[in-house]
Amino acid sequence: MLSDRIQKALNGQMNAEIYSSYLYLSMNAYFRSASLDGFANWMFAQAQEELMHGMKFYEFINQRGGRVTLAAIEAPPTEWDGPVAVFEDTLKHEQKVTGLINDLVEVALEERDHATQIFLQWFVTEQVEEEENVGNVLEQLKLLGNAKGGLFMMDRELAKRQTPGMSTEIA
Ligand SMILES: [Fe+2]
Ligand SMILES: [Fe+2]
């Protein structure tokens, strides 16, 4: 069984993951409206991944005999000042999520909930990858963004990212 404190914390993180999906879908919409389809494709894949993260919490809470409670999802921003600003926000957001995951690990340790602690290890590793990937895109974008055709090159590059289980035609 889950302690009330762990159940509340896991439900909170589930909400944060679904918010992440919402945020990246909003970035997808922004890039689509700017006709940057490669950037939009990258954000679509990102949004799908975050939804899968949310569902991992959903399944885990149920698996442990806990109760999932769905709360309101905060509205994400809808406008940005160009691709660099979007990826700066993305990096900031992922760093924030890393902090949330670390806090959650602390709660699991305090509650002596080893199963939750092991479940969370996947997210600890995932956050290292997320920060690295987003950081790399941001660095490249800053280097190429000002060059002639740089944005076009980045758009072509980001168009290659595949969404797991989805056709690349979507996005
Ligand atoms: Fe996530
Ligand atoms: Fe993420």
Side-chain angles (χ1 to χ4, degrees), residues 17 20 24 46 49-50 53 93-94 97 126-127 130 134:
E17 298 291 344
S20 298
Y24 297 137
Q46 190 74 2
E49 275 194 19
E50 298 297 353
H53 295 172
H93 182 68
E94 288 300 332
V97 171
E126 171 69 11
Q127 283 312 116
E130 287 275 70
V134 174

Side-chain angles (χ1 to χ4, degrees), residues 1-126:
M1 270 301 283
L2 293 171
S3 74
D4 285 349
R5 188 176 173 216
I6 290 279
Q7 178 168 293
K8 199 169 168 237
L10 290 172
N11 270 294
Q13 190 58 36
M14 178 184 67
N15 186 282
E17 298 291 344
I18 298 171
Y19 172 77
S20 298
S21 183
Y22 225 37
L23 173 64
Y24 297 137
L25 196 60
S26 188
M27 289 171 171
N28 166 276
Y30 167 79
F31 282 131
R32 278 184 168 198
S33 74
S35 296
L36 288 168
D37 293 344
F39 282 90
N41 172 68
W42 196 96
M43 283 300 170
F44 186 80
Q46 190 74 2
Q48 290 299 122
E49 275 194 19
E50 298 297 353
L51 197 54
M52 278 161 48
H53 295 172
M55 290 312 293
K56 276 181 189 279
F57 281 93
Y58 184 93
E59 290 302 331
F60 183 72
I61 295 164
N62 279 303
Q63 200 182 8
R64 295 289 305 284
R67 177 70 160 94
V68 165
T69 45
L70 298 178
I73 310 296
E74 194 190 322
T78 55
E79 294 299 334
W80 286 270
D81 207 11
V84 171
V86 173
F87 274 89
E88 277 171 348
D89 270 11
T90 300
L91 183 58
K92 241 184 277 168
H93 182 68
E94 288 300 332
Q95 286 165 344
K96 189 183 146 193
V97 171
T98 299
L100 293 176
I101 296 290
N102 288 339
D103 290 349
L104 207 45
V105 171
E106 290 295 320
V107 174
L109 287 170
E110 280 169 28
E111 295 286 307
R112 302 178 62 82
D113 186 336
H114 298 289
T116 295
Q117 208 241 314
I118 289 166
F119 167 74
L120 291 171
Q121 294 313 302
W122 185 89
F123 287 91
V124 172
T125 307
E126 171 69 11

